[in-house]
Amino acid sequence: MAKKVTIKDLAKAAGVSVTTVSQILNGKGARFSEETRDRVHRLKAELNYVPDFNARNLILHSSKTIGVLVPNIGNPFFSSFTRGIQEVCREKEYMPLVFSANHEVELERYYLSRLVERSVDGLIIASSTITNETIDEILKPNGIPYLLFDQNQAHGQGDRVAVDDYQGGKLAAEHLLKLGHKKLVMYLPEQPTENVLNRLAGFKNALNTAGVAFDETNIVKTEFTKQGGYKNTVAVLAKQPTAVFCANDELAIGLYRGLTERNIEVPRQISIIGFDDIDLDEYVTPALTTIHQPIQQLGNEAAKLIFKRLSDKEGKLSQQLVKMPVNLIERASTAQVEG
């Protein structure tokens, strides 16, 4: 097995000091001649030299990494969100380290602690279970900049990106009302987070404004996954709705399967509307009507806020908040109520 080329090997080949090589490779070699800089970079490529990560961290006082904690990397929403973060990190030449906590509090604390130990430069936290206590115990004492995505329960903490979930719920209700639906079910996760509760509030208030009473017993709860949407199909149908508002698209797609197995046609017999606008929505049959939130752009903005925070060396930047709009995407899963 070939021996790894070290910075000492590269310096010897270039006929310069280790310090000179380090400064040139780290973009701080302006005081050296163009010939010397070119020689170092040429030999780096020829020798296949790869900088030692830990040594580089010590020199730059930066790991050039951003930790990203999400609740479920298997959810297409968080895949798109992470892709948005990756785009900005690549531009900044930072490495995103992505972890999925699977809604487990202890696993979340474990990942956060390990990321702090590895001196990540900043953290983007989209986990729904993060608390003020965790922030106070793990993040604040170590002075690591962090940003919270709007799923979590922590209040008054850190920078934040969010969407107008209340407006999203309102748009869903108004769309179904326009189609003549009044027998409605709201399909929710078993432990709804603040943003999901805002969707419910917007939905109910729009119905109240239109003079349509919403019976709280018409809220059906399940796991916040495709499997959850599928396995509680019977509970949804027991309410005899003409339309169902699913708190996210994964629930809606799971419900599709449950309805198909029972030979119930969407939207002829029951209309379905989701929330998120994941890429699968255009490929299921019928294509899913949903509330669109700019998922990848949310990831972009989250990363931009973190880098803006990192550049604030004097600590003068106040809390950053970016709130983004939502809009209705009408496809084929909703239709005028029959009769």
Side-chain angles (χ1 to χ4, degrees):
M1 186 173 179
K3 177 178 176 291
K4 181 181 177 181
V5 176
T6 68
I7 193 169
K8 290 182 180 179
D9 297 328
L10 178 55
K12 183 178 180 180
V16 296
S17 69
V18 169
T19 301
T20 298
V21 171
S22 176
Q23 291 180 347
I24 289 173
L25 294 183
N26 288 311
K28 299 178 180 180
R31 66 189 181 92
F32 302 108
S33 68
E34 184 176 351
E35 179 187 356
T36 299
R37 296 197 302 270
D38 288 345
R39 185 166 69 253
V40 168
H41 285 294
R42 175 174 54 80
L43 287 167
K44 174 180 180 287
E46 290 178 3
L47 298 172
N48 294 316
Y49 169 70
V50 178
D52 182 88
F53 180 76
N54 293 321
R56 188 176 182 276
N57 290 353
L58 290 173
I59 294 169
L60 297 179
H61 303 291
S62 169
S63 66
K64 299 285 281 188
T65 56
I66 300 295
V68 183
L69 188 65
V70 299
N72 180 10
I73 197 64
N75 184 331
F77 176 94
F78 289 105
S79 298
S80 296
F81 180 72
T82 302
R83 189 158 59 245
I85 294 170
Q86 288 176 324
E87 287 181 349
V88 177
C89 285
R90 184 175 181 181
E91 290 173 7
K92 299 287 187 179
E93 297 184 341
Y94 272 64
M95 180 68 71
L97 299 178
V98 184
F99 295 90
S100 178
N102 300 321
H103 303 282
E104 297 178 28
V105 175
E106 288 307 312
L107 183 59
E108 174 187 276
R109 289 177 64 89
Y110 170 80
Y111 282 145
L112 285 176
S113 297
R114 297 295 83 79
L115 287 166
V116 169
E117 287 177 4
R118 283 159 177 75
S119 300
V120 293
D121 293 284
L123 286 161
I124 295 173
I125 303 170
S127 170
S128 60
T129 56
I130 189 76
T131 63
N132 290 339
E133 290 73 22
T134 298
I135 290 170
D136 291 340
E137 292 173 14
I138 298 177
L139 302 184
K140 284 187 175 180
N142 293 283
I144 296 179
Y146 61 93
L147 176 139
L148 302 175
F149 186 54
D150 67 346
Q151 284 219 1
N152 53 71
Q153 311 288 341
H155 293 278
Q157 300 269 11
D159 299 324
R160 186 180 289 266
V161 291
V163 296
D164 193 341
D165 291 289
Y166 180 91
Q167 177 66 9
K170 182 171 178 286
L171 289 173
E174 290 173 347
H175 174 66
L176 295 175
L177 288 170
K178 183 182 71 172
L179 295 174
H181 294 278
K182 293 183 180 179
K183 297 176 66 177
L184 305 170
V185 160
M186 179 77 184
Y187 212 6
L188 295 179
E190 292 166 340
Q191 296 179 318
T193 49
E194 183 178 350
N195 63 328
V196 170
L197 291 175
N198 287 336
R199 294 171 195 179
L200 175 61
F203 186 73
K204 292 198 301 186
N205 287 351
L207 294 178
N208 289 335
T209 299
V212 176
F214 180 75
D215 189 340
E216 294 290 328
T217 63
N218 285 338
I219 295 175
V220 177
K221 294 185 178 181
T222 188
E223 296 171 16
F224 210 22
T225 61
K226 291 186 285 290
Q227 175 65 19
Y230 167 70
K231 77 176 188 179
N232 268 15
T233 301
V234 171
V236 170
L237 292 175
K239 307 296 182 182
Q240 299 184 315
T242 61
V244 181
F245 175 33
C246 299
N248 76 354
D249 292 340
E250 286 222 309
L251 286 182
I253 291 170
L255 181 59
Y256 265 33
R257 178 185 167 190
L259 295 174
T260 299
E261 289 180 355
R262 291 163 177 79
N263 297 314
I264 296 173
E265 295 181 30
V266 177
R268 189 180 68 81
Q269 292 172 275
I270 187 168
S271 287
I272 307 293
I273 183 170
F275 200 110
D276 283 342
D277 196 23
I278 60 177
D279 56 6
L280 290 176
D281 292 354
E282 295 185 84
Y283 298 95
V284 294
T285 303
L288 181 64
T289 296
T290 190
I291 303 301
H292 168 84
Q293 52 177 326
I295 307 170
Q296 195 162 328
Q297 191 178 350
L298 284 165
N300 283 161
E301 291 299 322
K304 288 175 182 176
L305 292 186
I306 275 290
F307 285 114
K308 190 174 180 181
R309 177 65 62 188
L310 288 173
S311 66
D312 178 37
K313 303 301 182 183
E314 297 181 4
K316 293 182 178 180
L317 192 63
S318 58
Q319 185 182 30
Q320 302 177 97
L321 171 64
V322 170
K323 193 163 190 177
M324 306 186 77
V326 297
N327 61 281
L328 173 73
I329 303 295
E330 187 173 356
R331 296 193 179 102
S333 67
T334 49
Q336 194 78 30
V337 67
E338 293 187 359

